[in-house]
Amino acid sequence: MEDLPVPVMSDILSRLPVKTIIQCKCVCKKWLDLVSDSYFANLHLSRSPASLMIHHSSEINERAGILKWVELENKVNHHNLQHDPAMSLDLNLAPIFQDAQILVVGSVNGLLCLWNGLNSDNYFICNPVMEGIYDPPHTTTREYKVIRIFQGTTSTSRIREAEVYTLGMGKWRSLSHVPYTIGGFFGLFFNGHVHWSVFGKDSPEKLFAFDLDNETFKLFPSPPVETIQGSHHFLSLAVLKGCLCQSDTFESQFTLWVMREYGIKESWHREVMIKEGVSPALDWLMWEPVCLIERLNDGTILMVYYEDKLLACSFEKGTIANSDFFDPCFTGIAYRPSFLKLRNFKSERVHVF
């Protein structure tokens, strides 16, 4: 294999499981340099398998928590979740996370955006596979941006402002005033935009989007609004099989919407609607909030149920299975591992475990 051209070697190694690639870095310096090269990182990312990233923080004295990478065996007639304890990253061991309460607020190309809930100004970028943390503000050919929205108070009103940070540029830049109240701690990235739900009755649409290229906000076409008198409402956005999706949870109804053509309001399709008592096995979807994560090849949808359970739900079969991977107090997002090196960004503050 030593005599093979570098592109051929890269192609072969990029098809191996992530854990095997990590081991290959220790074989020889040539393989280490190859895996560390940006060409290999981009090649691997193009075929990186869908997986999950679980952020677990059940202990009171472990505020930062532990990142646990869960692999998906995703076949048409079979699926399985696999977690190797060796593929965990204990954030509590990082000095920069002492006295921090970390939340995972987004993921793009194997990079995780972490936020310190005890200090709203602290954001971190982490690659769990490479075990490095980038601490902005203190490039590669591809730009990565962090968008944050916060609310200030004047003597007469509350003003929502937004700022954007481009990795490697060293500072936050102020954006325009945000005219609507945004729901949730984090937005959903898809198709070059970050999406949020909108609170309040003054908006003609119930979704809001930020264009990362033009750095502009705009209302985004939302599904038909459903209301159930006297019922609490919880909304979850996700990207399932390449489509923007929204779930609506009420006390007596669960609905799943799929946007078949991005940006086209008329393409919203109500794929699932379950009313209380019609399918008793699925009733508990209405008891607590759920967050959609991933749709598998057999149609099963993975979701986190009230930071308590990782559920595998088959609406076609009318069944829900609880994947007993973790104790309570965790969140999860869809994740695709990458070998993007944070040291490629021009920064003096990259922390390596």
Side-chain angles (χ1 to χ4, degrees):
M1 187 169 176
E2 291 292 327
D3 297 330
L4 292 176
V6 171
V8 176
M9 292 178 61
S10 296
D11 183 71
I12 294 173
L13 290 177
S14 67
R15 298 175 185 274
L16 298 176
V18 171
K19 289 182 288 187
T20 304
I21 297 175
I22 294 174
Q23 294 168 349
C24 288
K25 292 169 56 179
C26 303
V27 172
C28 62
K29 186 177 185 302
K30 183 175 181 178
W31 285 15
L32 173 62
D33 292 342
L34 186 150
V35 172
S36 302
D37 187 76
S38 59
Y39 172 80
F40 176 86
N42 292 328
L43 180 62
H44 174 269
L45 185 59
S46 69
R47 53 179 60 128
S48 181
S51 58
L52 310 180
M53 184 60 65
I54 299 296
H55 179 228
H56 189 249
S57 55
S58 63
E59 299 297 332
I60 297 178
N61 61 343
E62 292 183 350
R63 286 181 169 177
I66 301 174
L67 295 175
K68 300 180 178 181
W69 174 41
V70 180
E71 296 177 275
L72 297 179
E73 184 183 359
N74 189 7
K75 299 180 180 179
V76 175
N77 298 318
H78 172 75
H79 70 264
N80 187 37
L81 306 180
Q82 299 176 344
H83 169 60
D84 183 348
M87 300 303 293
S88 298
L89 187 62
D90 191 343
L91 300 178
N92 302 290
L93 301 179
I96 59 172
F97 291 146
Q98 297 301 312
D99 300 320
Q101 188 172 36
I102 295 299
L103 299 175
V104 179
V105 295
S107 177
V108 177
N109 291 350
L111 301 180
L112 297 179
C113 182
L114 312 178
W115 175 53
N116 181 5
L118 298 181
N119 185 338
S120 60
D121 289 332
N122 283 167
Y123 296 83
F124 307 89
I125 305 300
C126 172
N127 186 337
V129 172
M130 302 299 286
E131 297 189 351
I133 298 173
Y134 178 88
D135 181 8
H138 244 344
T139 29
T140 62
T141 57
R142 180 181 292 160
E143 282 190 345
Y144 291 87
K145 297 180 180 180
V146 180
I147 172 75
R148 66 180 180 184
I149 299 174
F150 54 93
Q151 185 168 269
T153 303
T154 67
S155 58
T156 58
S157 63
R158 292 184 174 182
I159 301 176
R160 290 171 293 276
E161 302 289 345
E163 293 182 338
V164 65
Y165 182 87
T166 302
L167 296 193
M169 296 303 176
K171 64 178 181 179
W172 290 91
R173 291 181 287 110
S174 179
L175 298 174
S176 59
H177 167 66
V178 181
Y180 298 103
T181 301
I182 304 301
F185 282 107
F186 57 89
L188 174 73
F189 173 77
F190 181 56
N191 202 34
H193 294 74
V194 183
H195 307 76
W196 296 268
S197 60
V198 175
F199 285 157
K201 299 180 180 179
D202 57 339
S203 171
E205 300 288 353
K206 297 306 177 184
L207 294 179
F208 200 57
F210 176 73
D211 188 320
L212 286 165
D213 289 332
N214 300 326
E215 296 188 354
T216 56
F217 290 98
K218 62 181 179 182
L219 286 174
F220 188 83
S222 58
V225 177
E226 296 181 295
T227 58
I228 297 179
Q229 192 67 27
S231 177
H232 296 293
H233 178 212
F234 181 82
L235 181 153
S236 173
L237 293 174
V239 177
L240 305 178
K241 288 297 182 184
C243 291
L244 183 65
C245 298
Q246 174 182 308
S247 69
D248 294 304
T249 303
F250 297 96
E251 293 175 2
S252 59
Q253 179 179 302
F254 176 87
T255 307
L256 176 63
W257 295 91
V258 177
M259 194 177 215
R260 292 174 168 174
E261 188 174 352
Y262 181 79
I264 305 300
K265 186 175 181 67
E266 293 74 21
S267 73
W268 279 110
H269 167 68
R270 186 165 61 186
E271 182 175 291
V272 173
M273 185 177 73
I274 302 172
K275 291 186 176 292
E276 186 179 23
V278 174
S279 180
L282 300 178
D283 275 358
W284 67 335
L285 287 179
M286 308 160 209
W287 298 344
E288 299 289 353
V290 298
C291 290
L292 307 177
I293 300 181
E294 187 70 84
R295 187 197 293 268
L296 305 182
N297 290 336
D298 64 359
T300 298
I301 295 179
L302 299 178
M303 57 184 72
V304 173
Y305 177 83
Y306 196 56
E307 297 188 358
D308 183 57
K309 298 176 178 65
L310 180 61
L311 302 180
C313 181
S314 173
F315 294 109
E316 181 179 344
K317 299 176 182 178
T319 61
I320 290 183
N322 179 16
S323 301
D324 297 319
F325 261 110
F326 309 106
D327 295 329
C329 299
F330 69 86
T331 58
I333 60 173
Y335 178 74
R336 278 172 168 76
S338 80
F339 289 87
L340 181 63
K341 293 179 63 177
L342 291 171
R343 291 186 182 276
N344 289 341
F345 296 98
K346 297 176 181 179
S347 169
E348 296 180 357
R349 295 200 292 174
V350 176
H351 309 269
V352 180
F353 282 78

